[in-house]
Amino acid sequence: MQNAAARLRSTMSPPIIKPAPLTVWGHVWRWTVALVIGVFASLMIIGLHVSTSSEEVPGFVRLDDRAMAIFITVDVIAGIIAFVCMGLRRKFPRTAGTISALTASLTAFGSIANMITLISVAARRQWREIVPISLLWIGSALVVEGYYFGKYLPGLSSSWVGVLSSTTGLVGIALAIGVAIGSRRETLANQRSQLMFLQETREAREQEARVAERARIAREMHDVLAHRISLVSLHSGALAYRTDLTPEQVRETAQLIRDNSHQALSELRQVLGVLRDPNSLDMDGPPDAPQPTLTMINSLIGDAQAAGASITLNVTPELAGQLDNLLDATSRNVYRVLQECLTNARKHAPAETVSVSMYRPADGPLTLEVANALPTTENEVPAVPGSGLGLVGMAERVRSSGGMLSSGKIGGLFFVFAEFPWIEKDDK
C-alpha cells in the first residue's frame, strides 16, 4: 500500500526539471509569434463584424459601435495581462498560470500568449498545479460565455456545448504539448547526468591510471638506481677510506665505479623510454635493451659478487631450464625483487653472506627465498642511505603478479620470502 502511494505521488509530482535559459532568438520568436497571431485574431474578429451582416449570413449578430468599443478595450487589456503572464511564466509559474486562466477567454489578442503560459505550466508536470489551472481555464470560459458575451457581446456568443468542447480541446492540446516538453527535458537531464557520471568515472579511472603509472615508473627507477648507485657508493667509499690499496686496486675500483655508473644511466634510459614523445624517438639509433628477466639472474649475481658481495645461489638445473618459459612480466618482477634484496643486503649487512634459493614444487608457484645474517660489527665503509621504500616496492611487485611476500628477522637472520604464480608465456 505504501509503495502504491509512493508511486502515485511520484506520478503526480515528478521532479521539476528546470528549463535551460532561453537564448535571444528563443525569446524573439515566441514573442513574435504570439504578437502576430494575436493581432491577426483580433483584427479578423473586428473585420468579420465590420464587413458581415445578418443579410449575408442568416442568424449573424453584428456588433454595434458600443459593443465593438467594449470588445477592443477588454481584448487589449486582457491581452496585455496575458503577455505579462507569459513573461513571468518561468519565474512565477503558478501565479502566471492562474491569472492567465482567468483572463484567457476575454482576449483574442493574448490567445497565443495564454497558450504558451499554459504549456509552460504543463511542462512542469505537477498535476496538483495543472488540474486546478485547467479547470479554472474551462470554468472561466463558461462564465465569460454566459455573462460577458451574452450580456455585452451577443455577436460572439455560442452554445455552451461549443464553448466547453473548444475550450477543453485547446487546454488538452496545450497540456499534451507541455507534458511532452517536460518529458523531453527529463530525458535530456537524465542523459546529461549519465554523461557527467561517465565522464567523472572516466576521469577518475584516468587519474588512477596516471597514479599507478607514476608509481610503476618510480618503482622501476628505484630498483634500477638503488642497485647500481649502491655499488658506486660502496666502491667510492672504499676509495675514500682505504689507504692501503695498491694503484692496480684503485684502477680496478675506479673501473667498477665507471661501469656501474654507465650501466645505471643505460637502465635509467630504458625506464624513462616510456615517457618519451614518440615523435622525438631516434629511429636510426640502436634499440633499447630489453628489460631484465630471470634469464639474466647469473649476470645479476655476478655483478654483485664482482662488487665484493658473498652470495650463494641455489637453483635446480631443471628450474633453470624452465625460467625462459615464465611470463615476462612475472619473470621481470622476480628479477627486480631479487635485485632489491641484494641491494638491501649490501646496504645494511655488506660483510655478511647472502643466501638465494629459488625452487618450484610440481605444478606449484615459484618461490624465492633470500636470507642474510644480521650485521654484528660496524662496517668500515658507511652504509648507503636508503629511501625506506624497498620493501614497499617489493610488496607491490609481488601483489601485481598475484603472489605473496613476507619478510622479517628470525633469530640472527633477515629473511625475504616471496611466492609468484607460475604462468607460462603460452598461458597468457
Side-chain angles (χ1 to χ4, degrees), residues 219-220 222-225 227-228 231 260 263 267 270-271 290-304 313 323 326-344 346 356 358 366-368 370 393-394 397-398 401 416 418 420:
R219 185 167 59 242
E220 290 286 345
H222 171 271
D223 292 345
V224 168
L225 294 181
H227 176 67
R228 295 296 174 183
L231 292 174
N260 279 284
Q263 188 66 24
E267 293 183 358
Q270 297 169 20
V271 173
Q291 288 290 304
T293 61
L294 279 179
T295 57
M296 304 172 64
I297 187 174
N298 291 328
S299 175
L300 175 63
I301 299 297
D303 288 345
L313 176 62
L323 292 179
L326 184 61
L327 186 67
D328 287 343
T330 303
S331 183
R332 182 165 55 251
N333 283 338
V334 179
Y335 179 95
R336 292 302 190 190
V337 169
L338 176 57
Q339 183 183 56
E340 182 64 24
C341 289
L342 298 180
T343 300
N344 288 340
R346 185 162 51 247
V356 178
M358 194 160 50
L366 178 64
T367 303
L368 174 67
V370 182
M394 285 194 291
R397 284 190 178 277
V398 175
S401 296
V416 174
F420 296 84

Short mmCIF file of all heavy atoms in Angstrom, two decimals, residues 219-220 222-225 227-228 231 260 263 267 270-271 290-304 313 323 326-344 346 356 358 366-368 370 393-394 397-398 401 416 418 420:
data_model
loop_
_atom_site.label_atom_id
_atom_site.label_comp_id
_atom_site.label_asym_id
_atom_site.label_seq_id
_atom_site.Cartn_x
_atom_site.Cartn_y
_atom_site.Cartn_z
N ARG A 219 58.86 2.97 -9.11
CA ARG A 219 59.36 1.68 -8.62
C ARG A 219 60.50 1.17 -9.49
O ARG A 219 61.52 0.69 -9.00
CB ARG A 219 58.21 0.69 -8.57
CG ARG A 219 58.57 -0.65 -7.95
CD ARG A 219 57.32 -1.47 -7.66
NE ARG A 219 56.54 -1.71 -8.86
CZ ARG A 219 55.31 -1.29 -9.05
NH1 ARG A 219 54.69 -0.58 -8.12
NH2 ARG A 219 54.66 -1.57 -10.17
N GLU A 220 60.32 1.28 -10.81
CA GLU A 220 61.38 0.84 -11.72
C GLU A 220 62.64 1.66 -11.52
O GLU A 220 63.76 1.12 -11.47
CB GLU A 220 60.89 0.96 -13.17
CG GLU A 220 59.82 -0.03 -13.57
CD GLU A 220 60.36 -1.43 -13.76
OE1 GLU A 220 61.59 -1.57 -13.86
OE2 GLU A 220 59.56 -2.38 -13.80
N HIS A 222 63.53 3.29 -8.86
CA HIS A 222 64.13 2.95 -7.57
C HIS A 222 64.93 1.66 -7.66
O HIS A 222 66.07 1.58 -7.21
CB HIS A 222 63.03 2.81 -6.51
CG HIS A 222 63.53 2.27 -5.20
ND1 HIS A 222 63.58 0.92 -4.94
CD2 HIS A 222 64.02 2.88 -4.10
CE1 HIS A 222 64.07 0.72 -3.73
NE2 HIS A 222 64.33 1.90 -3.20
N ASP A 223 64.33 0.64 -8.29
CA ASP A 223 65.01 -0.65 -8.36
C ASP A 223 66.29 -0.56 -9.18
O ASP A 223 67.31 -1.17 -8.83
CB ASP A 223 64.07 -1.69 -8.98
CG ASP A 223 62.91 -2.03 -8.06
OD1 ASP A 223 62.98 -1.67 -6.87
OD2 ASP A 223 61.93 -2.62 -8.53
N VAL A 224 66.23 0.19 -10.30
CA VAL A 224 67.41 0.31 -11.15
C VAL A 224 68.51 1.11 -10.48
O VAL A 224 69.66 0.68 -10.37
CB VAL A 224 67.01 0.96 -12.50
CG1 VAL A 224 68.25 1.35 -13.29
CG2 VAL A 224 66.15 0.00 -13.31
N LEU A 225 68.15 2.31 -10.00
CA LEU A 225 69.16 3.20 -9.47
C LEU A 225 69.70 2.74 -8.12
O LEU A 225 70.90 2.87 -7.84
CB LEU A 225 68.61 4.62 -9.35
CG LEU A 225 68.27 5.30 -10.68
CD1 LEU A 225 67.76 6.70 -10.44
CD2 LEU A 225 69.49 5.33 -11.59
N HIS A 227 70.15 -0.21 -7.00
CA HIS A 227 71.12 -1.30 -7.15
C HIS A 227 72.46 -0.77 -7.65
O HIS A 227 73.51 -1.07 -7.07
CB HIS A 227 70.55 -2.33 -8.13
CG HIS A 227 71.50 -3.44 -8.44
ND1 HIS A 227 71.89 -4.37 -7.50
CD2 HIS A 227 72.14 -3.77 -9.60
CE1 HIS A 227 72.73 -5.23 -8.05
NE2 HIS A 227 72.89 -4.89 -9.32
N ARG A 228 72.43 0.01 -8.70
CA ARG A 228 73.69 0.48 -9.30
C ARG A 228 74.37 1.55 -8.45
O ARG A 228 75.59 1.51 -8.25
CB ARG A 228 73.41 1.05 -10.70
CG ARG A 228 72.91 0.02 -11.70
CD ARG A 228 73.97 -1.03 -11.95
NE ARG A 228 73.44 -2.10 -12.81
CZ ARG A 228 74.11 -3.18 -13.15
NH1 ARG A 228 75.35 -3.35 -12.69
NH2 ARG A 228 73.57 -4.10 -13.93
N LEU A 231 76.25 0.21 -5.53
CA LEU A 231 77.57 -0.30 -5.91
C LEU A 231 78.57 0.83 -6.07
O LEU A 231 79.72 0.74 -5.60
CB LEU A 231 77.47 -1.10 -7.21
CG LEU A 231 76.70 -2.43 -7.16
CD1 LEU A 231 76.57 -3.01 -8.55
CD2 LEU A 231 77.40 -3.41 -6.23
N ASN A 260 79.51 0.72 -13.49
CA ASN A 260 78.19 0.74 -12.85
C ASN A 260 77.48 2.06 -13.08
O ASN A 260 76.24 2.09 -13.19
CB ASN A 260 78.33 0.47 -11.35
CG ASN A 260 78.47 -1.01 -11.05
OD1 ASN A 260 77.51 -1.76 -11.10
ND2 ASN A 260 79.70 -1.43 -10.73
N GLN A 263 76.13 1.76 -16.54
CA GLN A 263 75.01 0.82 -16.55
C GLN A 263 73.76 1.45 -15.92
O GLN A 263 72.64 1.22 -16.39
CB GLN A 263 75.40 -0.45 -15.79
CG GLN A 263 74.39 -1.58 -15.90
CD GLN A 263 74.28 -2.11 -17.31
OE1 GLN A 263 75.20 -1.99 -18.10
NE2 GLN A 263 73.12 -2.68 -17.64
N GLU A 267 70.24 1.80 -17.88
CA GLU A 267 68.99 1.23 -17.40
C GLU A 267 67.96 2.32 -17.12
O GLU A 267 66.76 2.13 -17.31
CB GLU A 267 69.25 0.39 -16.15
CG GLU A 267 70.07 -0.86 -16.43
CD GLU A 267 70.27 -1.72 -15.19
OE1 GLU A 267 69.79 -1.31 -14.11
OE2 GLU A 267 70.89 -2.79 -15.30
N GLN A 270 66.28 3.19 -20.29
CA GLN A 270 65.26 2.20 -20.66
C GLN A 270 63.95 2.48 -19.93
O GLN A 270 62.86 2.41 -20.51
CB GLN A 270 65.75 0.79 -20.34
CG GLN A 270 66.99 0.36 -21.12
CD GLN A 270 67.57 -0.93 -20.57
OE1 GLN A 270 66.88 -1.68 -19.91
NE2 GLN A 270 68.84 -1.17 -20.86
N VAL A 271 64.05 2.79 -18.62
CA VAL A 271 62.84 3.03 -17.84
C VAL A 271 62.12 4.28 -18.31
O VAL A 271 60.89 4.31 -18.47
CB VAL A 271 63.18 3.15 -16.34
CG1 VAL A 271 61.95 3.56 -15.54
CG2 VAL A 271 63.72 1.82 -15.82
N PRO A 290 66.38 -4.98 -23.86
CA PRO A 290 65.16 -5.47 -23.23
C PRO A 290 65.25 -5.38 -21.71
O PRO A 290 66.34 -5.38 -21.13
CB PRO A 290 65.09 -6.94 -23.70
CG PRO A 290 66.51 -7.30 -24.01
CD PRO A 290 67.15 -6.06 -24.53
N GLN A 291 64.09 -5.27 -21.07
CA GLN A 291 64.06 -5.24 -19.61
C GLN A 291 64.55 -6.58 -19.07
O GLN A 291 64.25 -7.63 -19.65
CB GLN A 291 62.63 -4.97 -19.14
CG GLN A 291 62.16 -3.55 -19.37
CD GLN A 291 62.87 -2.55 -18.47
OE1 GLN A 291 62.86 -2.68 -17.25
NE2 GLN A 291 63.50 -1.56 -19.07
N PRO A 292 65.30 -6.55 -17.97
CA PRO A 292 65.88 -7.81 -17.46
C PRO A 292 64.82 -8.75 -16.92
O PRO A 292 63.79 -8.33 -16.38
CB PRO A 292 66.82 -7.32 -16.35
CG PRO A 292 66.25 -6.01 -15.92
CD PRO A 292 65.66 -5.39 -17.15
N THR A 293 65.09 -10.05 -17.08
CA THR A 293 64.23 -11.10 -16.53
C THR A 293 65.12 -12.12 -15.83
O THR A 293 66.34 -11.95 -15.74
CB THR A 293 63.43 -11.78 -17.66
OG1 THR A 293 64.35 -12.38 -18.59
CG2 THR A 293 62.54 -10.79 -18.40
N LEU A 294 64.50 -13.18 -15.36
CA LEU A 294 65.25 -14.19 -14.62
C LEU A 294 66.29 -14.91 -15.47
O LEU A 294 67.19 -15.57 -14.93
CB LEU A 294 64.28 -15.21 -14.02
CG LEU A 294 63.60 -14.79 -12.70
CD1 LEU A 294 62.66 -15.88 -12.23
CD2 LEU A 294 64.62 -14.46 -11.63
N THR A 295 66.16 -14.83 -16.77
CA THR A 295 67.19 -15.44 -17.61
C THR A 295 68.53 -14.75 -17.44
O THR A 295 69.57 -15.28 -17.85
CB THR A 295 66.77 -15.38 -19.08
OG1 THR A 295 66.52 -14.01 -19.45
CG2 THR A 295 65.51 -16.20 -19.32
N MET A 296 68.54 -13.55 -16.83
CA MET A 296 69.77 -12.79 -16.59
C MET A 296 70.19 -12.86 -15.13
O MET A 296 70.94 -12.01 -14.65
CB MET A 296 69.56 -11.33 -17.01
CG MET A 296 69.10 -11.16 -18.45
SD MET A 296 68.63 -9.46 -18.87
CE MET A 296 70.20 -8.63 -18.66
N ILE A 297 69.69 -13.87 -14.40
CA ILE A 297 69.99 -13.96 -12.97
C ILE A 297 71.48 -14.16 -12.70
O ILE A 297 72.03 -13.61 -11.74
CB ILE A 297 69.15 -15.08 -12.32
CG1 ILE A 297 69.34 -15.05 -10.80
CG2 ILE A 297 69.48 -16.44 -12.90
CD1 ILE A 297 68.43 -16.02 -10.07
N ASN A 298 72.14 -14.91 -13.57
CA ASN A 298 73.57 -15.14 -13.36
C ASN A 298 74.35 -13.84 -13.51
O ASN A 298 75.32 -13.61 -12.77
CB ASN A 298 74.09 -16.18 -14.35
CG ASN A 298 73.55 -17.57 -14.05
OD1 ASN A 298 73.30 -17.91 -12.89
ND2 ASN A 298 73.36 -18.38 -15.09
N SER A 299 73.92 -12.97 -14.45
CA SER A 299 74.60 -11.69 -14.60
C SER A 299 74.38 -10.82 -13.37
O SER A 299 75.29 -10.12 -12.92
CB SER A 299 74.06 -10.99 -15.86
OG SER A 299 74.60 -9.70 -15.98
N LEU A 300 73.15 -10.85 -12.81
CA LEU A 300 72.85 -10.08 -11.61
C LEU A 300 73.72 -10.54 -10.43
O LEU A 300 74.32 -9.72 -9.72
CB LEU A 300 71.37 -10.23 -11.25
CG LEU A 300 70.91 -9.57 -9.95
CD1 LEU A 300 71.08 -8.07 -10.01
CD2 LEU A 300 69.46 -9.93 -9.66
N ILE A 301 73.80 -11.85 -10.24
CA ILE A 301 74.63 -12.38 -9.15
C ILE A 301 76.09 -12.07 -9.39
O ILE A 301 76.84 -11.70 -8.46
CB ILE A 301 74.41 -13.90 -9.01
CG1 ILE A 301 72.94 -14.20 -8.68
CG2 ILE A 301 75.32 -14.48 -7.93
CD1 ILE A 301 72.47 -13.64 -7.38
N GLY A 302 76.52 -12.18 -10.68
CA GLY A 302 77.93 -11.90 -11.00
C GLY A 302 78.30 -10.47 -10.71
O GLY A 302 79.40 -10.20 -10.19
N ASP A 303 77.42 -9.49 -11.04
CA ASP A 303 77.72 -8.09 -10.75
C ASP A 303 77.86 -7.86 -9.25
O ASP A 303 78.76 -7.12 -8.81
CB ASP A 303 76.60 -7.20 -11.30
CG ASP A 303 76.61 -7.12 -12.81
OD1 ASP A 303 77.64 -7.50 -13.42
OD2 ASP A 303 75.60 -6.68 -13.40
N ALA A 304 76.96 -8.48 -8.47
CA ALA A 304 77.04 -8.30 -7.02
C ALA A 304 78.31 -8.93 -6.45
O ALA A 304 78.95 -8.37 -5.55
CB ALA A 304 75.80 -8.90 -6.36
N LEU A 313 73.93 -19.13 -4.54
CA LEU A 313 72.73 -19.27 -5.34
C LEU A 313 72.36 -20.73 -5.46
O LEU A 313 73.19 -21.55 -5.88
CB LEU A 313 72.93 -18.66 -6.73
CG LEU A 313 71.78 -18.80 -7.72
CD1 LEU A 313 70.54 -18.07 -7.21
CD2 LEU A 313 72.18 -18.28 -9.10
N LEU A 323 63.03 -21.33 -16.73
CA LEU A 323 62.85 -19.91 -16.47
C LEU A 323 62.50 -19.12 -17.73
O LEU A 323 61.78 -18.12 -17.67
CB LEU A 323 64.10 -19.32 -15.81
CG LEU A 323 64.42 -19.81 -14.39
CD1 LEU A 323 65.70 -19.17 -13.89
CD2 LEU A 323 63.25 -19.50 -13.46
N LEU A 326 58.75 -18.72 -18.35
CA LEU A 326 57.92 -17.93 -17.43
C LEU A 326 57.48 -16.64 -18.11
O LEU A 326 58.24 -16.03 -18.88
CB LEU A 326 58.71 -17.62 -16.16
CG LEU A 326 57.97 -16.89 -15.04
CD1 LEU A 326 56.78 -17.70 -14.54
CD2 LEU A 326 58.93 -16.58 -13.89
N LEU A 327 56.25 -16.23 -17.82
CA LEU A 327 55.71 -14.98 -18.37
C LEU A 327 56.66 -13.83 -18.08
O LEU A 327 57.15 -13.68 -16.96
CB LEU A 327 54.33 -14.71 -17.76
CG LEU A 327 53.54 -13.53 -18.32
CD1 LEU A 327 53.13 -13.79 -19.76
CD2 LEU A 327 52.32 -13.27 -17.46
N ASP A 328 56.93 -13.00 -19.10
CA ASP A 328 57.94 -11.94 -18.96
C ASP A 328 57.64 -11.00 -17.80
O ASP A 328 58.55 -10.60 -17.06
CB ASP A 328 58.03 -11.14 -20.26
CG ASP A 328 58.73 -11.92 -21.37
OD1 ASP A 328 59.41 -12.91 -21.05
OD2 ASP A 328 58.58 -11.52 -22.55
N ALA A 329 56.39 -10.62 -17.63
CA ALA A 329 56.05 -9.68 -16.55
C ALA A 329 56.38 -10.28 -15.19
O ALA A 329 56.96 -9.61 -14.32
CB ALA A 329 54.56 -9.31 -16.62
N THR A 330 56.02 -11.54 -14.99
CA THR A 330 56.33 -12.19 -13.71
C THR A 330 57.83 -12.37 -13.55
O THR A 330 58.39 -12.13 -12.47
CB THR A 330 55.63 -13.56 -13.64
OG1 THR A 330 54.22 -13.38 -13.81
CG2 THR A 330 55.89 -14.24 -12.31
N SER A 331 58.49 -12.81 -14.61
CA SER A 331 59.93 -13.02 -14.56
C SER A 331 60.66 -11.73 -14.22
O SER A 331 61.61 -11.71 -13.42
CB SER A 331 60.42 -13.58 -15.90
OG SER A 331 61.80 -13.85 -15.86
N ARG A 332 60.20 -10.62 -14.81
CA ARG A 332 60.83 -9.32 -14.52
C ARG A 332 60.61 -8.92 -13.07
O ARG A 332 61.50 -8.37 -12.42
CB ARG A 332 60.28 -8.27 -15.48
CG ARG A 332 60.89 -6.90 -15.29
CD ARG A 332 60.60 -5.99 -16.48
NE ARG A 332 59.18 -5.88 -16.75
CZ ARG A 332 58.59 -6.41 -17.80
NH1 ARG A 332 59.28 -7.13 -18.67
NH2 ARG A 332 57.29 -6.27 -18.00
N ASN A 333 59.42 -9.18 -12.54
CA ASN A 333 59.14 -8.82 -11.15
C ASN A 333 59.99 -9.65 -10.19
O ASN A 333 60.48 -9.13 -9.18
CB ASN A 333 57.66 -9.02 -10.85
CG ASN A 333 56.80 -7.89 -11.40
OD1 ASN A 333 57.29 -6.79 -11.66
ND2 ASN A 333 55.53 -8.17 -11.62
N VAL A 334 60.17 -10.95 -10.47
CA VAL A 334 61.03 -11.78 -9.62
C VAL A 334 62.45 -11.25 -9.66
O VAL A 334 63.14 -11.15 -8.63
CB VAL A 334 60.98 -13.25 -10.07
CG1 VAL A 334 61.89 -14.10 -9.19
CG2 VAL A 334 59.55 -13.79 -10.01
N TYR A 335 62.92 -10.89 -10.85
CA TYR A 335 64.27 -10.34 -11.01
C TYR A 335 64.43 -9.08 -10.16
O TYR A 335 65.43 -8.91 -9.45
CB TYR A 335 64.52 -10.04 -12.48
CG TYR A 335 65.88 -9.44 -12.77
CD1 TYR A 335 66.96 -10.23 -13.15
CD2 TYR A 335 66.09 -8.06 -12.68
CE1 TYR A 335 68.20 -9.68 -13.42
CE2 TYR A 335 67.32 -7.49 -12.95
CZ TYR A 335 68.37 -8.31 -13.32
OH TYR A 335 69.61 -7.75 -13.58
N ARG A 336 63.45 -8.17 -10.25
CA ARG A 336 63.55 -6.91 -9.51
C ARG A 336 63.49 -7.14 -8.00
O ARG A 336 64.17 -6.45 -7.24
CB ARG A 336 62.42 -5.96 -9.94
CG ARG A 336 62.53 -5.44 -11.37
CD ARG A 336 63.82 -4.71 -11.62
NE ARG A 336 63.82 -4.01 -12.90
CZ ARG A 336 64.88 -3.45 -13.46
NH1 ARG A 336 66.06 -3.53 -12.83
NH2 ARG A 336 64.79 -2.83 -14.63
N VAL A 337 62.68 -8.08 -7.56
CA VAL A 337 62.62 -8.38 -6.12
C VAL A 337 63.97 -8.90 -5.65
O VAL A 337 64.49 -8.48 -4.59
CB VAL A 337 61.50 -9.39 -5.84
CG1 VAL A 337 61.60 -9.91 -4.40
CG2 VAL A 337 60.13 -8.74 -6.05
N LEU A 338 64.56 -9.82 -6.40
CA LEU A 338 65.88 -10.34 -6.02
C LEU A 338 66.92 -9.23 -6.05
O LEU A 338 67.78 -9.13 -5.16
CB LEU A 338 66.27 -11.47 -6.98
CG LEU A 338 67.69 -12.05 -6.78
CD1 LEU A 338 67.88 -12.56 -5.35
CD2 LEU A 338 67.97 -13.15 -7.79
N GLN A 339 66.86 -8.37 -7.06
CA GLN A 339 67.81 -7.25 -7.15
C GLN A 339 67.70 -6.35 -5.93
O GLN A 339 68.70 -5.91 -5.36
CB GLN A 339 67.52 -6.46 -8.42
CG GLN A 339 68.48 -5.31 -8.68
CD GLN A 339 68.08 -4.53 -9.91
OE1 GLN A 339 66.96 -4.04 -10.01
NE2 GLN A 339 69.00 -4.42 -10.86
N GLU A 340 66.44 -6.06 -5.50
CA GLU A 340 66.25 -5.22 -4.32
C GLU A 340 66.75 -5.90 -3.06
O GLU A 340 67.32 -5.24 -2.17
CB GLU A 340 64.77 -4.85 -4.19
CG GLU A 340 64.45 -3.93 -3.03
CD GLU A 340 65.10 -2.56 -3.15
OE1 GLU A 340 65.42 -2.15 -4.28
OE2 GLU A 340 65.29 -1.91 -2.09
N CYS A 341 66.57 -7.21 -2.95
CA CYS A 341 67.08 -7.95 -1.79
C CYS A 341 68.60 -7.84 -1.70
O CYS A 341 69.16 -7.62 -0.61
CB CYS A 341 66.66 -9.41 -1.87
SG CYS A 341 64.91 -9.70 -1.59
N LEU A 342 69.27 -8.00 -2.85
CA LEU A 342 70.74 -7.89 -2.85
C LEU A 342 71.18 -6.47 -2.52
O LEU A 342 72.18 -6.26 -1.81
CB LEU A 342 71.28 -8.31 -4.22
CG LEU A 342 71.01 -9.76 -4.63
CD1 LEU A 342 71.60 -10.04 -6.00
CD2 LEU A 342 71.58 -10.74 -3.60
N THR A 343 70.44 -5.49 -3.03
CA THR A 343 70.77 -4.09 -2.72
C THR A 343 70.61 -3.81 -1.23
O THR A 343 71.48 -3.17 -0.61
CB THR A 343 69.87 -3.15 -3.53
OG1 THR A 343 70.05 -3.39 -4.92
CG2 THR A 343 70.19 -1.70 -3.23
N ASN A 344 69.52 -4.28 -0.64
CA ASN A 344 69.31 -4.06 0.80
C ASN A 344 70.38 -4.76 1.64
O ASN A 344 70.84 -4.22 2.65
CB ASN A 344 67.92 -4.56 1.20
CG ASN A 344 66.82 -3.66 0.67
OD1 ASN A 344 67.05 -2.51 0.34
ND2 ASN A 344 65.60 -4.20 0.60
N ARG A 346 73.40 -5.39 0.70
CA ARG A 346 74.65 -4.64 0.54
C ARG A 346 74.64 -3.36 1.36
O ARG A 346 75.67 -2.92 1.87
CB ARG A 346 74.84 -4.33 -0.95
CG ARG A 346 76.16 -3.67 -1.28
CD ARG A 346 76.50 -3.77 -2.76
NE ARG A 346 75.41 -3.32 -3.60
CZ ARG A 346 74.71 -4.11 -4.40
NH1 ARG A 346 74.95 -5.41 -4.42
NH2 ARG A 346 73.73 -3.62 -5.15
N VAL A 356 70.61 -17.18 -1.58
CA VAL A 356 69.49 -17.04 -2.51
C VAL A 356 69.06 -18.44 -2.94
O VAL A 356 69.86 -19.21 -3.45
CB VAL A 356 69.87 -16.20 -3.74
CG1 VAL A 356 68.69 -16.11 -4.71
CG2 VAL A 356 70.33 -14.81 -3.32
N MET A 358 65.88 -20.55 -5.00
CA MET A 358 64.70 -20.44 -5.86
C MET A 358 64.28 -21.85 -6.25
O MET A 358 65.09 -22.62 -6.77
CB MET A 358 65.01 -19.59 -7.09
CG MET A 358 63.78 -19.15 -7.86
SD MET A 358 64.10 -17.71 -8.93
CE MET A 358 65.56 -18.24 -9.81
N LEU A 366 56.31 -20.36 -8.05
CA LEU A 366 57.75 -20.13 -7.99
C LEU A 366 58.05 -19.44 -6.66
O LEU A 366 57.45 -18.42 -6.33
CB LEU A 366 58.19 -19.25 -9.16
CG LEU A 366 59.68 -18.87 -9.19
CD1 LEU A 366 60.55 -20.10 -9.37
CD2 LEU A 366 59.95 -17.84 -10.29
N THR A 367 58.97 -20.00 -5.91
CA THR A 367 59.29 -19.49 -4.58
C THR A 367 60.71 -18.94 -4.57
O THR A 367 61.64 -19.58 -5.07
CB THR A 367 59.17 -20.59 -3.52
OG1 THR A 367 57.83 -21.13 -3.56
CG2 THR A 367 59.43 -20.05 -2.13
N LEU A 368 60.85 -17.73 -4.01
CA LEU A 368 62.15 -17.08 -3.87
C LEU A 368 62.41 -16.83 -2.39
O LEU A 368 61.57 -16.23 -1.70
CB LEU A 368 62.17 -15.76 -4.64
CG LEU A 368 63.42 -14.89 -4.47
CD1 LEU A 368 64.63 -15.58 -5.10
CD2 LEU A 368 63.22 -13.51 -5.07
N VAL A 370 65.44 -15.32 0.17
CA VAL A 370 66.71 -14.60 0.31
C VAL A 370 66.95 -14.37 1.80
O VAL A 370 66.06 -13.87 2.49
CB VAL A 370 66.69 -13.26 -0.45
CG1 VAL A 370 68.04 -12.56 -0.33
CG2 VAL A 370 66.32 -13.48 -1.92
N GLY A 393 58.14 -1.40 -2.33
CA GLY A 393 58.17 -1.68 -3.76
C GLY A 393 58.13 -3.16 -4.06
O GLY A 393 57.46 -3.60 -5.00
N MET A 394 58.85 -3.95 -3.25
CA MET A 394 58.82 -5.40 -3.47
C MET A 394 57.42 -5.95 -3.25
O MET A 394 56.94 -6.80 -4.02
CB MET A 394 59.81 -6.09 -2.51
CG MET A 394 61.26 -5.92 -2.92
SD MET A 394 62.36 -7.07 -2.03
CE MET A 394 62.28 -6.39 -0.38
N ARG A 397 55.24 -5.19 -6.21
CA ARG A 397 55.56 -6.03 -7.37
C ARG A 397 54.97 -7.44 -7.21
O ARG A 397 54.41 -8.00 -8.16
CB ARG A 397 57.08 -6.13 -7.56
CG ARG A 397 57.71 -4.90 -8.16
CD ARG A 397 59.15 -5.17 -8.52
NE ARG A 397 59.75 -4.01 -9.13
CZ ARG A 397 59.64 -3.69 -10.42
NH1 ARG A 397 58.90 -4.45 -11.20
NH2 ARG A 397 60.23 -2.63 -10.90
N VAL A 398 55.12 -7.99 -6.03
CA VAL A 398 54.62 -9.34 -5.80
C VAL A 398 53.10 -9.36 -5.93
O VAL A 398 52.52 -10.26 -6.54
CB VAL A 398 55.07 -9.86 -4.43
CG1 VAL A 398 54.45 -11.23 -4.14
CG2 VAL A 398 56.60 -9.97 -4.38
N SER A 401 51.75 -9.36 -9.41
CA SER A 401 51.86 -10.66 -10.08
C SER A 401 50.91 -11.70 -9.49
O SER A 401 50.89 -12.84 -9.95
CB SER A 401 53.31 -11.18 -10.00
OG SER A 401 54.18 -10.32 -10.70
N VAL A 416 63.58 -12.82 3.41
CA VAL A 416 62.57 -12.36 2.47
C VAL A 416 62.03 -13.60 1.76
O VAL A 416 62.80 -14.36 1.17
CB VAL A 416 63.12 -11.35 1.44
CG1 VAL A 416 62.04 -11.02 0.40
CG2 VAL A 416 63.59 -10.09 2.13
N ALA A 418 59.09 -14.91 -0.93
CA ALA A 418 58.12 -14.46 -1.94
C ALA A 418 57.66 -15.63 -2.79
O ALA A 418 58.48 -16.48 -3.17
CB ALA A 418 58.72 -13.37 -2.83
N PHE A 420 55.40 -16.52 -6.33
CA PHE A 420 54.83 -15.99 -7.57
C PHE A 420 54.09 -17.11 -8.29
O PHE A 420 54.64 -18.21 -8.44
CB PHE A 420 55.93 -15.45 -8.49
CG PHE A 420 56.69 -14.28 -7.92
CD1 PHE A 420 57.75 -14.48 -7.05
CD2 PHE A 420 56.34 -12.99 -8.25
CE1 PHE A 420 58.46 -13.41 -6.54
CE2 PHE A 420 57.04 -11.90 -7.75
CZ PHE A 420 58.11 -12.11 -6.89
#
